[in-house]
Amino acid sequence: MSSNLGKYRNNFLREVAANVEEGGWVKMCMQCGVCSGSCPLGPHWEHPPQEIFMMIRANQREEVLTSSSMWFCTSCYNCIARCPRELPITHIMHGLAHYAKRLGIAPKDQRTAKFAQLFWDNLFTKGRVNELKLGLRLYFMDGFVAGIKTALKMQKVGLGMWKTQRMDPLEILGGHGCKDLKGLQAALNKARQIEEQKAAKFQG
Ligand code: SF4
Ligand code: SF4
């Protein structure tokens, strides 16, 4: 297992509070289980939200950060609407997934993580999402043959989008960018640098 897992075992709750979006809320969880019971995907997760929060408090760093559970959150907000302690559960789930990815210990075969990376790379290139390129990248994520099969299966949808001007085939040539692309990229790089410095402090 990655060396990133070996360090900082004794205070995972504090690490989560410092590095994970809205992570400071985890300590407020009273383990009532309403979130897990409300989550439409809860029964299919290895660890539903209430269990993830319990594991964080029990210092189960490796089990939490290598879990695929957080990656299944669909942002339906059922849990947030019902939590008696008003924890921002959805944001914490995504924050945990993001933190695990930053540390390089997210499950490697996680398709949501792959999609997130494709989306980010696409957005970073021009400052706007090029939907045509993103769609094609997704189709061909599992190789050329699988990509052709998916493209053929989705051809009616693609044609419909083109006819209703929801997709421009010329986007393949590059598409529109935002006005100050260099400025945006510099800001995003700076934000990433700050996050990495924060995480490194807790790793050392
Ligand atoms: S509903 Fe809120 S308080 Fe209850 S277990 Fe879930 S996060 Fe904790
Ligand atoms: S927002 Fe995520 S964690 Fe909350 S109920 Fe929906 S799928 Fe489950």
Side-chain angles (χ1 to χ4, degrees):
M1 200 53 72
S2 162
S3 60
N4 280 336
L5 293 170
K7 302 167 186 171
Y8 200 74
R9 279 187 184 279
N10 297 331
N11 207 341
F12 187 36
L13 182 63
R14 198 156 65 89
E15 182 181 357
V16 167
N19 292 287
V20 171
E21 184 185 354
E22 308 275 19
W25 279 89
V26 174
K27 65 177 183 295
M28 299 301 290
C29 173
M30 63 181 188
Q31 288 292 302
C32 67
V34 168
C35 54
S36 298
S38 309
C39 180
L41 293 166
H44 308 288
W45 290 14
E46 191 186 2
H47 305 298
Q50 170 246 335
E51 208 172 294
I52 290 276
F53 298 154
M54 179 193 65
M55 290 161 72
I56 291 172
R57 294 167 76 157
N59 284 329
Q60 291 181 271
R61 184 178 192 269
E62 178 173 341
E63 291 83 348
V64 171
L65 292 177
T66 59
S67 167
S68 63
S69 294
M70 302 86 75
W71 292 94
F72 288 113
C73 175
T74 59
S75 305
C76 72
Y77 285 81
N78 261 356
C79 51
I80 287 191
R82 294 180 184 164
C83 173
R85 284 275 169 95
E86 300 184 347
L87 267 79
I89 302 160
T90 316
H91 307 161
I92 303 170
M93 287 295 129
H94 292 307
L96 283 167
H98 181 216
Y99 185 50
K101 188 159 191 318
R102 266 162 57 203
L103 293 174
I105 52 180
K108 295 278 179 271
D109 58 346
Q110 230 303 321
R111 294 181 72 76
T112 317
K114 282 188 194 169
F115 171 73
Q117 190 63 55
L118 286 177
F119 185 90
W120 176 261
D121 293 343
N122 184 301
L123 177 71
F124 191 81
T125 307
K126 287 273 187 175
R128 287 188 184 177
V129 173
N130 183 316
E131 290 175 350
L132 180 58
K133 282 190 176 177
L134 180 63
L136 288 173
R137 282 289 186 97
L138 267 178
Y139 288 1
F140 289 89
M141 189 163 74
D142 295 322
F144 185 73
V145 177
I148 295 290
K149 278 185 190 166
T150 311
L152 288 173
K153 205 165 63 183
M154 298 298 285
Q155 60 180 311
K156 274 191 183 167
V157 176
L159 275 173
M161 287 176 75
W162 177 51
K163 279 183 192 160
T164 52
Q165 298 185 330
R166 300 289 305 191
M167 189 176 68
D168 178 2
L170 293 177
E171 290 260 306
I172 196 74
L173 300 174
H176 302 297
C178 69
K179 275 187 188 160
D180 182 12
L181 179 60
K182 284 207 168 111
L184 175 73
Q185 288 174 336
L188 292 172
N189 280 331
K190 184 69 187 168
R192 182 165 29 201
Q193 199 186 1
I194 292 170
E195 281 191 339
E196 279 167 4
Q197 279 168 355
K198 250 174 38 171
K201 209 167 80 183
F202 279 83
Q203 292 298 312

